């Protein structure tokens, strides 16, 4: 922990095409090695693939995918009397949104043999339908939190 003042949150400017702050944060997380224009191209190409294949508004598909992949609780390890237990903890909105975005990007990158724009489009469409690896990940986390509900009183 820093001994100085608490770090202030930076305000992310909205993305240029859709004027959406959530999408701008997603593009920033998609970016590798500071190549923002490449990340933007990948995201916007994925959006055009979504538009052509599903005939739905791509921004709506993105927001629905994000909602479906966003967890409400997570489990955190805590040492209690020599044993490490998993304590369910409610998440702040920033943290849950960050996890959802990370899982969507990881799911898109894990689809081998296809370009990233295509993998991202498929992952977003799957997540908007309540399928895909990011949604599975969220459900797995919720199951683990439910199984460890007995330890909720150890919350920090």
């Amino acid at each position: 922990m820093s001994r100085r003042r608490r770090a202030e949150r930076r305000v992310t400017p909205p993305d240029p095409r859709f004027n959406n702050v959530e999408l701008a944060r997603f593009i920033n997380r998609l970016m590798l090695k500071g190549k923002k224009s490449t990340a933007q191209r990948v995201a916007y190409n994925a959006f055009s693939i979504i538009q052509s294949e599903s005939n739905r508004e791509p921004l709506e598909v993105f927001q629905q995918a994000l909602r479906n992949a966003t967890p409400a609780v997570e489990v955190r390890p805590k040492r209690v009397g020599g044993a490490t237990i998993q304590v369910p903890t409610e998440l702040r909105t920033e943290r849950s949104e960050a996890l959802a975005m990370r899982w969507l990007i990881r799911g898109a990158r894990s689809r081998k043999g296809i370009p990233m724009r295509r993998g991202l489009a498929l992952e977003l469409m799957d997540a908007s339908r309540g399928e895909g690896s990011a949604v599975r990940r969220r459900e797995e986390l919720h199951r683990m939190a439910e199984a460890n509900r007995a330890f909720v009183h150890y919350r920090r």
Side-chain angles (χ1 to χ4, degrees):
M1 281 220 78
S2 175
R3 291 175 181 269
R4 298 183 185 168
R5 62 185 164 77
R6 188 166 180 92
E8 60 218 29
R9 302 264 315 151
R10 289 199 198 103
V11 178
T12 309
D15 79 293
R17 189 172 294 179
F18 292 94
N19 203 31
N20 188 310
V21 178
E22 273 181 340
L23 181 57
R25 270 195 233 109
F26 185 77
I27 288 170
N28 287 342
R29 284 197 176 85
L30 188 63
M31 177 171 48
L32 293 173
K33 297 182 180 177
K35 297 193 170 192
K36 191 168 201 164
S37 57
T38 304
Q40 281 176 333
R41 193 169 0 153
V42 167
Y44 294 146
N45 285 344
F47 272 33
S48 64
I49 290 169
I50 290 169
Q51 175 79 54
S52 64
E53 286 189 9
S54 69
N55 295 324
R56 290 170 55 199
E57 194 58 42
L59 195 60
E60 288 174 16
V61 171
F62 168 73
Q63 288 170 336
Q64 183 64 45
L66 206 57
R67 272 195 302 274
N68 288 350
T70 301
V73 291
E74 73 175 342
V75 289
R76 307 192 93 156
K78 184 168 170 59
R79 289 276 297 194
V80 177
T84 304
I85 60 170
Q86 299 289 332
V87 180
T89 315
E90 289 176 10
L91 289 172
R92 294 189 332 275
T93 53
E94 301 93 36
R95 168 102 176 124
S96 59
E97 186 182 89
L99 282 172
M101 288 181 182
R102 199 180 306 159
W103 293 341
L104 285 166
I105 292 166
R106 188 177 293 158
R109 286 198 176 120
S110 69
R111 292 174 185 246
K112 298 291 180 202
I114 55 173
M116 181 60 185
R117 61 181 175 269
R118 182 107 183 104
L120 185 59
L122 291 172
E123 188 65 34
L124 288 173
M125 286 191 291
D126 282 352
S128 71
R129 288 191 303 265
E131 304 165 2
S133 62
V135 177
R136 254 196 325 276
R137 192 92 184 252
R138 185 205 70 190
E139 288 167 355
E140 193 177 295
L141 188 62
H142 280 206
R143 267 197 304 276
M144 208 184 315
E146 184 65 30
N148 291 298
R149 207 174 64 202
F151 303 124
V152 80
H153 63 281
Y154 286 113
R155 228 181 305 183
R156 293 180 181 126

